Amino acid sequence: VQLQASGGGLVQAGGSLKLSCVASGFSFDDYGMGWFRQAPGKEREFVAAITWSGGSTYYSESAKGRFTISRDNAKNMVWLHMNRLKPEDTAVYFCAAGRLALRDPEEYDYWGRGTQVTVSS
């Protein structure tokens, strides 16, 4: 099983980034997908999730209205479009796969290594 996140980088506040995650080694369209982030010294926190079909999406309060999660089961990929980025969005972002698209990281079975997002003020 592999989840490879990419697309992170350094961006100014107010800018945008698109994170990508490509999955392999499991039945992608049987799994909900989530994005989480972890800033230095902080716990991993939920950002967004999408059900296996893409029919339902869920966001943290901080992500709602600024971030969009999407997926393409034919490509085994999930994305996180991030707009109006803020310095407090700075973190390592991880994609994860779980049977249900939940907010609790403990409910996810597979994790990628993460990609660094840094937002400068």
Side-chain angles (χ1 to χ4, degrees):
V1 172
Q2 277 196 323
L3 291 171
Q4 182 61 54
S6 61
L10 174 63
V11 64
Q12 287 188 331
S16 300
L17 279 176
K18 176 184 175 182
L19 305 184
S20 302
C21 176
V22 59
S24 62
F26 64 101
S27 297
F28 182 75
D29 53 7
D30 283 342
Y31 281 76
M33 296 297 296
W35 285 96
F36 293 78
R37 68 187 184 187
Q38 189 166 18
K42 295 188 176 181
E43 292 187 353
R44 191 167 297 189
E45 66 171 346
F46 170 77
V47 177
I50 188 167
T51 53
W52 66 272
S53 66
S56 294
T57 56
Y58 309 93
Y59 297 94
S60 66
E61 284 302 314
S62 64
K64 201 173 296 182
R66 299 188 299 128
F67 296 0
T68 302
I69 188 171
S70 59
R71 68 187 293 163
D72 184 335
N73 287 347
K75 296 180 179 179
N76 281 15
M77 292 191 71
V78 61
W79 297 274
L80 185 68
H81 291 75
M82 304 187 294
N83 297 315
R84 303 198 306 277
L85 283 160
K86 305 174 182 179
E88 51 263 45
D89 294 317
T90 295
V92 177
Y93 284 69
F94 301 86
C95 60
R99 286 293 185 176
L100 300 174
L102 300 175
R103 298 170 183 266
D104 184 352
E106 297 295 324
E107 298 294 333
Y108 285 77
D109 300 314
Y110 308 126
W111 289 84
R113 286 192 175 184
T115 184
Q116 175 71 47
V117 172
T118 303
V119 184
S120 63
S121 57

